[in-house]
Amino acid sequence: MPKWTLTTEFKFEAAHYIKNYDGPCGRLHGHSYRVRIEAIAHRLQASQYCPNPVMVADFRSLRWAKRDVLKGGLDHCVLNEVLPEAYETTAEMIAQYIHDKTKKQLPEGVKLKVAVSETADSWATYEDD
């Protein structure tokens, strides 16, 4: 069975604090977040931008989080004010939030893997099974 993997990487700037954290991360501070998304499918699809079934997903759909917060993304926001209450603002939970919101925009059968970095050498990854 054929399989395609689409990978995109982007960044956004945002501030956050981790509730009840005993240390500097409990105070408001900012990061240059890096996000890597892998979308995997066994068949190609059309997208809202292209009617032909020639892609796993449209890169524009995968990169929504890098848009300005006023345009529906996460760039230049305070994550604690934007993410739903069910999501804490750790890298793990930000990865899950981006995964969950992106998954809703994709056709059935596309598997996602989302990695988020808030420092140059640390990543958190979330994927569903």
Side-chain angles (χ1 to χ4, degrees):
M1 176 177 277
K3 180 169 89 170
W4 289 268
T5 301
L6 188 66
T7 305
T8 187
E9 198 168 308
F10 58 89
K11 63 183 179 173
F12 66 91
E13 310 294 330
H16 80 125
Y17 58 90
I18 299 174
K19 288 184 255 172
N20 302 315
Y21 188 89
D22 184 16
C25 293
R27 296 190 302 266
L28 184 65
H29 62 283
H31 294 286
S32 294
Y33 288 94
R34 290 185 54 191
V35 178
R36 182 181 305 124
I37 297 179
E38 289 182 22
I40 302 162
H42 292 287
R43 67 182 177 88
L44 298 179
Q45 331 265 343
S47 80
Q48 73 182 81
Y49 307 106
C50 180
N52 307 325
V54 294
M55 57 184 69
V56 171
D58 197 294
F59 282 116
R60 286 166 48 180
S61 298
L62 297 176
R63 295 181 186 142
W64 66 268
K66 79 176 201 168
R67 292 193 305 247
D68 185 83
V69 67
L70 299 177
K71 295 181 180 177
L74 298 175
D75 191 46
H76 284 81
C77 76
V78 176
L79 292 169
N80 303 75
E81 297 172 0
V82 175
L83 270 60
E85 189 140 336
Y87 298 91
E88 182 54 83
T89 61
T90 61
E92 296 89 342
M93 295 296 288
I94 295 166
Q96 183 180 354
Y97 174 73
I98 291 171
H99 172 280
D100 293 349
K101 188 167 177 178
T102 304
K103 186 86 171 180
K104 291 176 185 173
Q105 301 175 38
L106 298 177
E108 188 75 28
V110 176
K111 184 177 160 99
L112 278 182
K113 183 180 196 179
V114 176
V116 171
S117 170
E118 57 183 32
T119 64
D121 54 4
S122 301
W123 290 83
T125 302
Y126 181 85
E127 62 184 304
D128 56 359
D129 288 326

